[in-house]
Amino acid sequence: MLAGSTKRSPRAVRRLLLAPLCLAGALAWAQTTTAPAPSRLDSRLDSRLEHLREVGRFAPAKALPELRELEAQARAAGLRTKTDFLFQFGLAKLSIGLKQEAYALGEELYAYGRAQKDNRAMAKGLLAKSYSTYDLNRLADSHRYAWEAERLADLSTDVPLQVTSAIASAQSHGEEGNFPPALAKMQEAVAIARRHNDPVTLVIALDSLANLYSQMKEYDRGFEALDEAFKLAEKSASPGRQATLKSTEFILASSTNQPQRGLRALLAALALQRQIDADSDIVYSLVNLSDSYLKEHNYSRTIDYGNQAIEAARRINDESSVATARINIGQAYMGMGRLAEGKRNFEAGLKHYEESENKPELQGVLIEYGAVLERAGDLQGAVKAYHRERALSNELFEKQRQKAIWELQEKYETDKKQRQIELLSRENLVKSTEIDNRRLQQRVWWLLALVFALSSIVVTLLYRKVRQANAQLEVKNLELKQQSSRDPLTALYNRRHFQEFMRTHMQVEKRGSGTSGEEIVGALFLLDIDHFKKVNDTYGHAAGDLVLKMIAENLREILRETDMIVRWGGEEFLAFLPAIPRSGVEEIARRLLVGITAQTIHYQGHAITVNVSIGFAPFPLSPGEHPLPWERAVNLVDMALYLAKAHGRNRAYGVRGFANFAQTSMEDIEQDLERAWRSGFVDLSIVLGSNHEAGAEAAH
């Protein structure tokens, strides 16, 4: 697991860039540009601050005590000196994990700039707030502050500040996945740095551009930007700048499947960082080295670098990196067969993500945990991890769905108000016409009949338009009702519609027999796409959406029009077949497995195929005298699905019935379906996918 996230995300890249380079190199140069002549006292203070900027660029813990000594003197200095001190003081605190204190200094600097009516001070205050809220996981606030900082920086004469704010603005767009404006802003930052011929600022901009190209998967352009940055950095003889560029080379090499190049770059970066005691950067390099050796199955080095990372991270209060290192160490121990020790370390790291409330990252860590446990043979632990991830996935999916409904409702209300305004305008037009008619009646009596006729025509036309508007409103209401019961991406029914249907659905204990005398039953099928996250990570979310649409289309083709097909969660689908011969349930599962695997999606020159895992059962299920409620039946099918996941994927596990039920209970079966199956209390059937041996296995 890489530093900063479950993968090398824009978040991790941004933190590496902003701290060492942007707060030091560019801002140091800003001190020498179009500033007013400082007092002699301010000049001496500026010299000390410039020295501390060089120290704090990579070792903020060393610079912070001296900054505290200068605080009283700097707060009494002139506008420019005080502004730069508050900004540098806040970033030093942020670099050692004092996020709230750093945010408070950003607030103070912005308020000071407003009082002085100084765009430069306000822009720096907003940048400080953007960096702090970013580390506090308040991304929406961080992006808003960055964009406003860029607007104010462009009104100032501080060119390096304009470059820095343009980079922050571009990174904010990139974090939202909005790459066209992100690239435009980043290229603008490079262009400004070139025009003013400043190598330090240009290195910063080129390094940021290389990282953005990595996010966009345009790796050749990323390497081109990085090569130019390396040539400029070599002239400066700065170990810190070269270390930062080596870290970027590691990102690009890892993304282009060049592990040895990435490892060499990371080791070189660590050596340079240790020369200058760059504490926070050392932590990131150690964590990433631990992850790199983990991928090579070199578990002893994984543990060694992981322990070094924990020790270094604790010195700077970086709990996120401690957690990441713990997860890497846990995976290494599990790879060595030391399962208990590995789980203890992984759970210790996982605890940080749970406490940080960063649910998207927590979801990724849980998926990784389940996969590691599955490889280690702890299938029960893997199922529990997958269940935790699935619950979190459903929660996030429900929030996204609710947001979409709110947006749709808001649009509907806006359209409704617009129609009301149009109707009022027409009513006013009618009233105006009536007044004109009265005047005409008073002046010209012989035009009365004609005016009356015209008025009647106008009223008739308006009446028809009102009726048309009401008819359109009724159609819109029907559309809104339809949209509230359908998933917007796949056009399948959503979970809420299925729940409402099942609450009113009359279960029939015996559905009768078909023409051949065979028993007719209902059936539930729950499908989950195997390795769906890998599709999103490799090809992007647009490819993932195409996969979801393909699954929906195949379900419509394989099943009947009378069957209810539901998008149950993020990558889960539910099918309820109200009437089917009992012997045909397993055949339906086989057709679903084979039919979906046979489909290929062509996306940007790639051929994508996916498998699914399935849990299924006839419905209703009757373990005793009374049938199970539909909610418990779906839960049982979900447990069968996770058995299919844990036992190899691309297969279907079906609950056919129960045996010896007097010796157990439904609660015990739901606690551990696999144990109940192996104890003979549950009768399962197994259907293998197309890349397995054909046929269904009876499981007793």
Side-chain angles (χ1 to χ4, degrees):
M1 183 172 179
L2 291 168
S5 181
T6 55
K7 60 177 182 167
R8 193 70 186 191
S9 67
R11 179 175 175 76
V13 172
R14 183 175 174 192
R15 181 168 179 178
L16 285 170
L17 285 174
L18 290 175
L21 284 174
C22 290
L23 73 92
L27 296 174
W29 187 76
Q31 292 287 75
T32 64
T33 60
T34 58
S39 66
R40 183 174 301 175
L41 180 63
D42 284 359
S43 295
R44 291 197 297 270
L45 185 56
D46 287 342
S47 297
R48 288 198 66 187
L49 287 175
E50 185 173 354
H51 168 71
L52 290 176
R53 270 190 293 273
E54 291 299 315
V55 175
R57 184 187 308 168
F58 299 102
K62 293 184 178 180
L64 195 57
E66 291 193 53
L67 287 169
R68 287 195 174 103
E69 291 179 7
L70 295 176
E71 184 172 5
Q73 184 181 352
R75 287 182 178 279
L79 171 63
R80 193 174 191 87
T81 301
K82 181 177 179 179
T83 294
D84 292 335
F85 169 79
L86 289 174
F87 187 75
Q88 185 179 345
F89 196 26
L91 290 182
K93 288 190 173 186
L94 182 62
S95 296
I96 64 167
L98 301 177
K99 303 170 187 177
Q100 294 292 353
E101 293 184 29
Y103 179 79
L105 283 168
E107 284 272 27
E108 179 185 352
L109 178 53
Y110 178 69
Y112 175 63
R114 286 191 65 181
Q116 298 294 324
K117 297 182 179 179
D118 184 77
N119 291 324
R120 178 177 180 271
M122 286 192 287
K124 286 195 171 186
L126 287 167
L127 275 179
K129 290 170 68 175
S130 175
Y131 301 158
S132 303
T133 49
Y134 178 84
D135 272 15
L136 289 166
N137 289 323
R138 292 162 47 192
L139 290 187
D141 289 339
S142 176
H143 297 167
R144 180 164 51 85
Y145 293 144
W147 293 327
E148 178 62 12
E150 181 194 21
R151 187 186 70 81
L152 291 172
D154 288 342
L155 298 175
S156 74
T157 57
D158 192 330
V159 174
L161 178 61
Q162 292 172 6
V163 174
T164 304
S165 60
I167 291 172
S169 175
Q171 289 167 331
S172 296
H173 285 297
E175 285 155 11
E176 292 189 348
N178 196 1
F179 290 120
L183 183 58
K185 291 292 183 184
M186 200 67 80
Q187 290 173 335
E188 180 183 342
V190 172
I192 295 172
R194 287 193 198 280
R195 282 200 303 270
H196 290 270
N197 196 28
D198 178 66
V200 173
T201 312
L202 186 55
V203 167
I204 296 168
L206 287 169
D207 186 57
S208 302
L209 180 61
N211 277 284
L212 179 60
Y213 277 134
S214 177
Q215 291 174 243
M216 298 170 64
K217 303 186 186 303
E218 295 189 19
Y219 303 116
D220 290 341
R221 293 188 177 184
F223 279 118
E224 289 176 6
L226 187 62
D227 288 343
E228 183 180 354
F230 266 124
K231 293 175 183 177
L232 291 168
E234 287 173 359
K235 298 177 182 178
S236 68
S238 168
R241 293 192 190 99
Q242 293 177 24
T244 301
L245 296 176
K246 284 292 181 183
S247 296
T248 302
E249 183 182 359
F250 161 70
I251 297 168
L252 287 166
S254 299
S255 301
T256 52
N257 197 25
Q258 302 180 66
Q260 293 305 313
R261 178 177 180 177
L263 190 59
R264 288 194 301 271
L266 205 52
L267 289 168
L270 180 62
L272 292 165
Q273 290 156 0
R274 282 176 166 162
Q275 288 180 26
I276 56 176
D277 296 326
D279 294 336
S280 60
D281 294 345
I282 288 172
V283 170
Y284 277 86
S285 293
L286 288 170
V287 173
N288 289 336
L289 279 166
S290 173
D291 179 78
S292 296
Y293 282 117
L294 178 63
K295 290 174 181 175
E296 293 188 350
H297 306 294
N298 191 335
Y299 300 129
S300 60
R301 288 198 175 182
T302 299
I303 295 169
D304 179 30
Y305 280 110
N307 285 323
Q308 290 185 51
I310 291 172
E311 182 181 351
R314 283 177 172 163
R315 287 198 296 267
I316 61 171
N317 300 318
D318 188 351
E319 292 302 321
S320 177
S321 294
V322 171
T324 306
R326 283 284 183 208
I327 288 171
N328 287 341
I329 291 172
Q331 293 188 63
Y333 277 129
M334 283 189 269
M336 296 166 68
R338 295 160 67 176
L339 188 61
E341 198 167 357
K343 290 175 70 173
R344 185 171 63 252
N345 277 277
F346 207 113
E347 289 284 355
L350 188 63
K351 183 179 179 183
H352 167 78
Y353 289 95
E354 292 172 337
E355 293 174 349
S356 68
E357 292 295 324
N358 192 335
K359 293 184 179 180
E361 287 194 1
L362 175 59
Q363 183 184 9
V365 175
L366 285 170
I367 291 173
E368 189 173 356
Y369 192 24
V372 172
L373 289 171
E374 186 178 341
R375 289 195 297 270
D378 185 359
L379 299 183
Q380 186 172 2
V383 169
K384 289 181 180 178
Y386 288 138
H387 269 297
R388 290 166 69 184
E389 184 276 330
R390 177 60 55 224
L392 187 60
S393 175
N394 288 339
E395 179 184 346
L396 295 174
F397 176 78
E398 182 62 24
K399 288 182 179 179
Q400 292 174 352
R401 188 188 69 82
Q402 190 63 46
K403 180 182 178 183
I405 290 175
W406 285 342
E407 290 175 350
L408 184 63
Q409 184 66 33
E410 183 178 355
K411 183 177 183 300
Y412 168 74
E413 292 295 337
T414 301
D415 292 343
K416 182 178 178 181
K417 288 178 181 178
Q418 184 61 37
R419 286 193 296 271
Q420 289 174 342
I421 292 171
E422 291 175 359
L423 287 174
L424 287 173
S425 298
R426 291 166 184 163
E427 289 176 3
N428 290 335
L429 177 60
V430 171
K431 291 178 181 178
S432 176
T433 303
E434 290 175 349
I435 292 171
D436 291 342
N437 287 342
R438 293 193 196 100
R439 291 174 180 172
L440 288 171
Q441 288 172 0
Q442 293 172 359
R443 294 180 182 179
V444 186
W445 63 269
W446 52 269
L447 291 176
L448 179 60
L450 179 60
V451 170
F452 178 79
L454 290 174
S455 299
S456 299
I457 293 171
V458 170
V459 170
T460 301
L461 291 174
L462 290 174
Y463 175 72
R464 289 179 179 176
K465 289 183 179 180
V466 169
R467 288 185 60 186
Q468 291 174 356
N470 288 335
Q472 291 174 355
L473 182 60
E474 185 176 354
V475 170
K476 290 294 183 181
N477 285 332
L478 290 174
E479 289 177 355
L480 182 61
K481 182 178 180 181
Q482 170 112 1
Q483 290 167 350
S484 69
S485 66
R486 295 280 184 174
D487 171 59
L489 177 65
T490 62
L492 298 178
Y493 287 115
N494 58 29
R495 183 191 288 249
R496 186 177 70 175
H497 177 80
F498 177 77
Q499 291 168 339
E500 291 175 354
F501 170 82
M502 293 304 286
R503 277 195 290 268
T504 58
H505 180 65
M506 298 300 293
Q507 294 184 13
V508 180
E509 291 287 347
K510 295 183 179 180
R511 297 179 180 251
S513 301
T515 56
S516 63
E518 186 175 357
E519 182 184 4
I520 302 299
V521 298
L524 288 165
F525 293 81
L526 189 61
L527 299 81
D528 186 279
I529 304 173
D530 295 333
H531 303 298
F532 182 68
K533 184 175 184 297
K534 183 177 180 181
V535 174
N536 280 334
D537 290 347
T538 305
Y539 307 106
H541 287 281
D545 288 347
L546 288 177
V547 170
L548 293 172
K549 290 180 180 178
M550 179 273 287
I551 299 274
E553 291 171 1
N554 272 268
L555 290 174
R556 292 190 189 98
E557 291 178 5
I558 294 171
L559 303 178
R560 300 168 301 187
E561 292 183 358
T562 55
D563 299 332
M564 177 170 287
I565 310 171
V566 181
R567 185 177 179 192
W568 193 244
E571 60 260 31
E572 280 189 337
F573 297 83
L574 178 79
F576 172 58
L577 284 60
I580 182 175
R582 181 176 287 275
S583 63
V585 176
E586 292 177 355
E587 179 58 26
I588 292 295
R590 181 182 294 105
R591 286 165 57 192
L592 291 171
L593 288 170
V594 174
I596 291 172
T597 303
Q599 297 300 313
T600 301
I601 293 174
H602 297 281
Y603 177 73
Q604 294 185 353
H606 299 281
I608 306 171
T609 59
V610 295
N611 301 322
V612 296
S613 297
I614 302 175
F616 66 94
F619 182 81
L621 277 170
S622 301
E625 296 180 358
H626 303 288
L628 290 177
W630 71 266
E631 294 91 344
R632 297 186 76 172
V634 170
N635 183 56
L636 207 58
V637 170
D638 186 50
M639 295 174 71
L641 166 63
Y642 275 97
L643 280 181
K645 285 278 188 187
H647 289 184
R649 297 185 173 87
N650 190 20
R651 61 190 63 204
Y653 273 54
V655 178
R656 293 199 293 202
F658 305 85
N660 304 318
F661 192 75
Q663 301 174 22
T664 185
S665 67
M666 199 63 216
E667 287 73 18
D668 288 339
I669 291 173
E670 290 174 328
Q671 184 69 28
D672 193 334
L673 179 62
E674 183 170 9
R675 182 179 61 194
W677 167 40
R678 299 193 184 281
S679 299
F681 298 128
V682 178
D683 182 12
L684 295 185
S685 63
I686 304 172
V687 180
L688 302 180
S690 59
N691 57 346
H692 297 288
E693 184 176 346
E697 302 173 9
H700 301 283

